[in-house]
Amino acid sequence: MDGGNPLATLNWTCEGINVQGVNANIQSSAISRYTVTLDTSYNGQTCACTASHQLWSGNKVVQSQPFIVHYPPTTNPVVSGYDGTFRYQNDVVTLTCIVSGGSPPATLSWTCNGLQSTVRQSISGTTVTSDIRVTMTKELNEKTCICHGRHSDIRYSPNVLSDRFIVYYPSSIPLVEISTETPFPWIEKGNGKLQCSVNDGNPPVSYEWSSAAGIISDQTSHILSLTSLTKDDNMKGYSCKVSNAYTIAKNLNVISRAKQLDVEYNPVVTVGLSPAYIRETDSFERPCTADSNPTSTITWTSNTSPSNAAILKLDDTVRNQTGDYACKAQAQSKGRHGLLSGQAVLKVIVQFPPTVHAILEQTGIIEGQTVYMYCLARGVPDQYTYGGWVQEYRNTIIRSAHDFMVSQNKQNITLSEVTHQNIGTYRCKVHNTITDKYGVLFQHGMTNLDIKSVFNSSEKFHTELNKTFEIRIPFFLNPLLQNVDTITLTKQNISQKERPDIKMNIGTTKLDIVFYGKAITVEGQEVIIQMIQFKSELQGNYTISIKNFDEGSISYFVFEVMLSDFKILSSTSDSVEVTWLAGNNGGHPQTFVISYHEKGKNKTLKTKNVTETLNKINYTLTISGLTSEREYSFSIYAYNRRGNSKHDLESLNPYLIATAKIDVSEKNGSDYNGMFIGVVIGFIVGVLGEGVVISILFWRKGNCNGINCRPGKTFDKDENQQRTQYEDVKNEIDRNDVYDGINTIRGGVANNQDSLSQHGEYESLGIRHESAAYQQIHYKVSLIRNNFSKCAHMTQYFYYIFITHKL
C-alpha cells in the first residue's frame, strides 16, 4: 500500500485463519506477500489483506478473488442397472454411471459395443450422473457398455465397464443343404445325408427334422441321415426347425424351407389290370406308364406284335395274339448311377368261343356194342357249359338232348347195345359265355356214328305147288352189300347154288325205317329169291347168310317156306266162305277183321269182325249179301291191345325189315319167331276160271335185341297217345302220297291192275268211327312206318289178306 508514514501494516486472513505474510516493503510502499498452497479446501475460498495504520481508526481490508482449484474426483464412476442375467433380444436395459467429487465436476460418457453414445448427464454439486438406455441385440451378447469418466485433470480418465451382457436371440433361418459326403442325385436302396446350417442363436439351438409324414423323432442332430432310400423318397421335402430359449419364450417358429430329395430309381412300369380279356375280333388299347426319375422312354414288345409306342394297340384281335406283352422303360442317370430300367408284363387273353369236336372213341362198331362219345371243347375261357347231344339222320333230328344217357355235365354220352337206330350224326353243343362273331352262343361239334348192323330174323312164307313165286325181302344193313356173292342161301340138304330152280340176287329199294319212333326214308336193299315151279321138297326153313363186314362177321336171315292153308272153301251167287289159321295173339285177345268192297264201284269198305276163341286155330266165315257177277276185294287182319310209348318205340329194332311178294295165303300164325315185318303183297291165283286173287301181308313178331326190355311188360298203357297218333295218321290217309307209299312198299305185285280199288280200300279206313277202326288204323299205320315189334312177352301180328273174287 503506498504512502503513509509509517507505512501501513499489512495482515492476511485466509479461510478465516490469520496467516503470516512476508513483508516486502519498499520505500514508501507497504508490501506483504502470502504464498498459499492450494488444496481442495481452497476451492471457492478467498484470502483477505487487512491494512492497519496507527492513524486510522479502522482497518482497510482488500479481498482476493475466490480461488478456483481444479482437482479430479477422488473415485472412479460407478455403473449400475444390469445385474449380469440374460436379457432377450430387444429388451431395454438402463445403465447408470455416477461419479462424485472433483472440480470442476467430471464428465461422463458411454461406449457400448464400440459405439460411443452421447447422453445427457446431470450434476448435483460435485456428483455427476449419466444414464443410458441400451437395447439388447445379438451384437451385445457377451459385450459390455463402458462409462468413461473425464476431468480437466487429464490424469483422471477412468473407464468403468458394466457387467457383460447375456443376450438371448434366435438364430438365422436355417438352411438345409446336401451333405458333401452324399451329393445328389441319390439312388434308391442307397443312403444320403442332409445338414441344417444356422447362424448364431443364443443360447445354442436344438434341431428338429420333419417331413410331410411328420417329425422325425430319432434325428436331433444338424445332420439328417437317410438310409435304404426308396422311390417314394424322391421329391420328398425335409425341413429343419431350430429352437432355443428365446424362440421358446417368444413362441417363434424358426424353420427352413423344405429341401426336396433327388432320388433316382428304376422305372416302375404300370400296364393296368392284368390279365386283360379281349373277345376275338374286338380291338384293344392299353397305355403303359412309367414312374421314374429321371424321365424314361417307354416301349412295348411282344413275340407277335412289337411296338415302340407307349400305347399297345391290337386291331381285330385273333386268338394267337394271346400272350405276354412287355412294357419296358429306360432312363439314363443324371449322376453316377448309369442306365436305369424296369418293365411290366401285361398278359393278354383273347377270349373266343370253343372249337368243339365230338369224339367217337371206337372204330369198326358192330351192333350190340357199347359206344362212348365225348364232347371236346377248346376255347377261352375254358370253363364250359355243355348243352347236351342231338342225333340226326339225313337232316332229321332223331333224338334230342333229353333222350340220352349223358354224364352229369352233359359232356359225355354212352350208347349201350347200339342198333341201326343209333346210326347218324351226333352233335354236341357247348359254350363258354363267349359268342362268336355272329352273336351265337352255343358252338357245335359233330361226329358220324357208323354201325355195322347185325342182321337176324325169322319169317314164314306160303305158296302152292308148281307155282313160280318170288320173295323180295327188303333189309337195311350197314354197310351196304356190294354183290350177291356175299349172300348164301341154304336149307338142310339143299344149297341154292346146287338148285337151278332157286335164283337169288340183290337189289336196291327205298325203305321207311323207324329211328326211335321217327320214320326215315333210307336207301335199302332187298334179297330177291325166285323159286321156279315150287316143289314140295322145297318146303322148310331157309337161312340167308350175309357177310357184310370186312372183318368177316356173318348176319343171318331165317325164313320158312310152306304150302298155303288159306282157302276159299266155297262160293255161291251171293256169298263167299273163307278160312284161315289164327296166329299167336301176343298175349292179348285178338280180333280178326275181314274187310271187303266191290271193285270199280264205291270205296266204302265193309267189315266183319271175328273175335278169337281160346285155343281155337281154324276159323271160317261166310260173307253173304254179295251181288252176282261182280268182283270183290277182301282183306283180313288182326289186332289186339298193344301198349307202347315213344320211348318203347325208340328202344325197339324197327330197322329189321323184310318185304316179300309171293302167291300165298296165311297158313299158321302160332308160335312164330320172326324178326322182320313182312309185307306180302300180290299173289295172283287163277282158280278154275273164277279169277280168285289172294294176297297176304303176314304178321311179324318183334325182337328185343339190344333194347331195354323187361319181361312181363304188357304195353297196354298210353292209349291217349296212340289215339292221338291215330288222329294224325287219319289225316294223312286222305293224301295220295301216303297211299302211293304203300303201293311202293307193295312194289312187285304180280297183278297190279287193282290199285285203284286198293287205294279206295285204304282210304275207306279213314272214315271209320268204331273202336275197332282205331285199332285197325293203328296197325295199318304201324305197317306203313315199319313199327311192328315185340318186346318180352308181347307179340305183334297183322294179317292183311287181299282176296279178289268174281262171283
Side-chain angles (χ1 to χ4, degrees):
M1 171 179 280
D2 293 334
N5 191 21
L7 293 173
T9 300
L10 297 175
N11 294 307
W12 291 95
T13 303
C14 291
E15 293 181 329
I17 299 173
N18 293 324
V19 295
Q20 186 68 41
V22 176
N23 290 326
N25 295 334
I26 59 173
Q27 297 176 1
S28 58
S29 293
I31 298 172
S32 180
R33 293 185 177 86
Y34 180 69
T35 301
V36 178
T37 300
L38 295 175
D39 58 21
T40 58
S41 63
Y42 283 96
N43 185 45
Q45 301 297 318
T46 63
C47 283
C49 178
T50 303
S52 64
H53 197 277
Q54 54 191 350
L55 296 179
W56 293 341
S57 56
N59 295 328
K60 293 181 178 181
V61 177
V62 177
Q63 295 285 343
S64 66
Q65 290 293 322
F67 294 118
I68 299 174
V69 178
H70 286 193
Y71 57 89
T74 58
T75 61
N76 288 333
V78 175
V79 176
S80 64
Y82 177 65
D83 60 1
T85 60
F86 72 87
R87 294 292 188 270
Y88 293 113
Q89 180 176 265
N90 297 323
D91 285 354
V92 176
V93 175
T94 300
L95 297 178
T96 300
C97 185
I98 299 175
V99 62
S100 297
S103 180
T107 60
L108 299 175
S109 64
W110 293 91
T111 299
C112 290
N113 196 25
L115 298 176
Q116 290 185 354
S117 298
T118 300
V119 295
R120 188 175 62 179
Q121 61 185 10
S122 62
I123 301 174
S124 176
T126 62
T127 299
V128 179
T129 302
S130 178
D131 295 330
I132 185 172
R133 290 172 58 85
V134 181
T135 299
M136 296 292 99
T137 66
K138 66 178 182 178
E139 290 79 16
L140 288 176
N141 184 49
E142 299 295 329
K143 302 294 191 297
T144 62
C145 282
I146 302 173
C147 179
H148 302 283
R150 296 293 182 264
H151 196 267
S152 57
D153 185 349
I154 61 175
R155 291 172 299 175
Y156 186 83
S157 59
N159 295 312
V160 179
L161 279 67
S162 68
D163 287 337
R164 190 175 299 275
F165 295 123
I166 301 174
V167 181
Y168 282 1
Y169 56 89
S171 70
S172 62
I173 300 298
L175 176 66
V176 176
E177 298 174 306
I178 307 162
S179 171
T180 56
E181 298 178 21
T182 55
F184 274 172
W186 296 344
I187 188 70
E188 66 176 335
K189 299 181 181 179
N191 304 324
K193 291 182 179 181
L194 297 178
Q195 63 184 22
C196 183
S197 300
V198 295
N199 293 323
D200 302 328
N202 187 46
V205 296
S206 60
Y207 298 88
E208 179 181 270
W209 291 94
S210 63
S211 68
I215 297 173
I216 305 172
S217 59
D218 60 346
Q219 301 271 357
T220 57
S221 168
H222 74 290
I223 298 294
L224 173 65
S225 296
L226 299 173
T227 60
S228 301
L229 295 166
T230 69
K231 75 178 189 66
D232 295 330
D233 290 316
N234 184 53
M235 300 303 292
K236 182 182 287 187
Y238 285 87
S239 299
C240 173
K241 178 181 177 181
V242 294
S243 60
N244 59 11
Y246 178 87
T247 61
I248 294 171
K250 301 300 183 179
N251 196 27
L252 293 180
N253 192 24
V254 184
I255 188 169
S256 70
R257 296 181 62 180
K259 180 67 174 180
Q260 290 184 322
L261 304 187
D262 185 3
V263 179
E264 293 186 337
Y265 52 90
N266 289 314
V268 178
V269 182
T270 303
V271 294
L273 187 63
S274 180
Y277 296 96
I278 315 168
R279 191 175 71 170
E280 193 171 34
T281 73
D282 285 353
S283 295
F284 174 75
E285 288 189 5
R286 179 62 64 84
C288 175
T289 59
D291 175 12
S292 64
N293 180 34
T295 302
S296 56
T297 301
I298 297 173
T299 57
W300 279 98
T301 57
S302 74
N303 293 334
T304 57
S305 301
S307 171
N308 291 325
I311 298 178
L312 174 66
K313 293 184 178 181
L314 302 176
D315 296 324
D316 297 324
T317 53
V318 294
R319 60 193 63 181
N320 65 3
Q321 288 179 304
T322 292
D324 292 336
Y325 292 76
C327 179
K328 188 173 184 178
Q330 291 183 326
Q332 184 64 45
S333 170
K334 302 185 296 288
R336 61 191 183 280
H337 306 303
L339 184 65
L340 305 174
S341 64
Q343 75 172 28
V345 175
L346 171 67
K347 189 173 187 63
V348 172
I349 298 177
V350 179
Q351 294 183 317
F352 52 89
T355 300
V356 185
H357 299 280
I359 306 300
L360 174 62
E361 293 186 336
Q362 301 115 300
T363 58
I365 299 169
I366 300 175
E367 188 177 40
Q369 290 182 342
T370 296
V371 173
Y372 304 95
M373 286 181 278
Y374 62 93
C375 196
L376 180 64
R378 291 290 184 269
V380 176
D382 58 1
Q383 289 78 42
Y384 306 110
T385 298
Y386 294 87
W389 294 75
V390 172
Q391 177 192 359
E392 297 178 1
Y393 187 87
R394 296 192 176 183
N395 299 322
T396 298
I397 294 178
I398 304 301
R399 289 191 291 176
S400 56
H402 65 276
D403 296 320
F404 290 101
M405 293 178 59
V406 296
S407 59
Q408 185 174 2
N409 64 356
K410 301 181 181 179
Q411 181 181 7
N412 305 327
I413 183 173
T414 302
L415 304 176
S416 300
E417 298 182 357
V418 294
T419 70
H420 85 287
Q421 294 183 101
N422 300 109
I423 294 174
T425 298
Y426 286 77
R427 300 180 187 275
C428 65
K429 63 180 182 178
V430 61
H431 77 80
N432 63 349
T433 73
I434 305 300
T435 60
D436 63 16
K437 62 181 179 180
Y438 304 107
V440 177
L441 180 62
F442 273 102
Q443 306 300 310
H444 296 79
M446 60 171 286
T447 187
N448 292 314
L449 177 57
D450 195 20
I451 300 173
K452 296 179 178 181
S453 304
V454 176
F455 189 103
N456 196 356
S457 182
S458 177
E459 300 293 345
K460 289 187 178 182
F461 300 100
H462 305 272
T463 185
E464 295 184 2
L465 288 173
N466 301 318
K467 296 296 182 181
T468 297
F469 76 100
E470 189 177 80
I471 300 174
R472 287 181 176 266
I473 306 175
F475 59 88
F476 177 75
L477 287 181
N478 187 47
L480 295 176
L481 298 179
Q482 300 302 314
N483 58 72
V484 74
D485 293 338
T486 61
I487 303 176
T488 303
L489 177 65
T490 58
K491 175 183 177 295
Q492 187 177 9
N493 301 323
I494 293 178
S495 171
Q496 173 262 332
K497 295 182 180 180
E498 300 172 354
R499 296 291 301 234
D501 53 354
I502 299 177
K503 305 294 184 183
M504 185 171 62
N505 206 344
I506 60 172
T508 60
T509 186
K510 297 285 187 181
L511 297 178
D512 286 338
I513 307 299
V514 175
F515 284 73
Y516 291 101
K518 296 185 179 180
I520 305 295
T521 299
V522 300
E523 294 290 337
Q525 292 177 288
E526 58 184 356
V527 178
I528 305 170
I529 303 172
Q530 189 180 50
M531 293 187 177
I532 303 170
Q533 301 295 316
F534 190 82
K535 306 294 189 298
S536 61
E537 66 267 20
L538 294 180
Q539 291 189 100
N541 293 322
Y542 289 82
T543 300
I544 297 177
S545 302
I546 302 176
K547 180 181 179 182
N548 60 322
F549 302 162
D550 292 340
E551 290 80 358
S553 299
I554 303 297
S555 299
Y556 299 99
F557 174 30
V558 180
F559 64 95
E560 182 180 359
V561 178
M562 62 185 66
L563 295 175
S564 175
D565 284 331
F566 180 82
K567 300 181 186 302
I568 297 177
L569 294 181
S570 63
S571 63
T572 67
S573 60
D574 63 353
S575 66
V576 170
E577 184 178 20
V578 296
T579 183
W580 69 93
L581 299 177
N584 190 333
N585 63 12
H588 298 279
Q590 59 186 326
T591 298
F592 306 101
V593 180
I594 297 88
S595 303
Y596 60 96
H597 67 80
E598 183 179 348
K599 293 180 62 178
K601 297 295 183 181
N602 60 63
K603 300 178 181 178
T604 301
L605 195 66
K606 297 180 180 180
T607 62
K608 297 287 186 179
N609 290 357
V610 177
T611 302
E612 179 183 32
T613 301
L614 184 62
N615 297 325
K616 183 176 180 179
I617 301 299
N618 296 290
Y619 290 83
T620 60
L621 174 67
T622 298
I623 301 173
S624 58
L626 306 177
T627 303
S628 180
E629 299 298 326
R630 302 288 175 84
E631 291 187 14
Y632 289 85
S633 292
F634 296 84
S635 65
I636 183 171
Y637 65 91
Y639 68 89
N640 64 359
R641 287 182 58 83
R642 176 174 173 265
N644 55 32
S645 67
K646 184 174 184 297
H647 173 74
D648 292 332
L649 285 173
E650 290 180 345
S651 300
L652 301 177
N653 294 315
Y655 81 100
L656 297 175
I657 298 171
T659 301
K661 297 188 297 183
I662 58 174
D663 298 334
V664 33
S665 61
E666 186 66 58
K667 178 179 180 182
N668 189 345
S670 61
D671 196 25
Y672 292 163
N673 294 310
M675 289 292 289
F676 289 83
I677 299 174
V679 181
V680 184
I681 304 174
F683 173 57
I684 304 175
V685 180
V687 181
L688 299 177
E690 292 183 342
V692 177
V693 180
I694 304 172
S695 303
I696 180 169
L697 264 149
F698 62 91
W699 64 273
R700 68 174 286 270
K701 180 170 70 175
N703 183 329
C704 283
N705 289 343
I707 62 170
N708 184 17
C709 294
R710 297 178 178 84
K713 192 171 184 180
T714 61
F715 289 93
D716 58 356
K717 58 182 179 180
D718 227 4
E719 284 295 319
N720 289 334
Q721 179 178 341
Q722 298 176 17
R723 290 189 181 276
T724 300
Q725 182 181 2
Y726 160 70
E727 293 297 333
D728 293 341
V729 176
K730 176 180 179 296
N731 293 331
E732 292 181 3
I733 290 175
D734 293 332
R735 292 169 41 198
N736 290 338
D737 57 341
V738 179
Y739 169 74
D740 293 338
I742 297 178
N743 201 40
T744 300
I745 296 175
R746 296 177 61 249
V749 176
N751 182 0
N752 198 25
Q753 63 182 357
D754 201 18
S755 61
L756 179 61
S757 176
Q758 296 163 14
H759 189 181
E761 171 228 347
Y762 175 69
E763 290 184 337
S764 67
L765 291 175
I767 62 174
R768 301 195 181 186
H769 302 288
E770 65 270 22
S771 173
Y774 159 64
Q775 298 291 349
Q776 295 161 14
I777 291 294
H778 180 64
Y779 284 102
K780 181 84 170 186
V781 173
S782 298
L783 176 63
I784 296 170
R785 294 186 176 178
N786 303 304
N787 274 345
F788 292 106
S789 58
K790 174 180 179 293
C791 190
H793 299 298
M794 176 62 187
T795 301
Q796 305 171 69
Y797 57 94
F798 188 2
Y799 299 106
Y800 196 28
I801 305 173
F802 290 99
I803 303 175
T804 301
H805 184 67
K806 185 174 182 180
L807 297 175

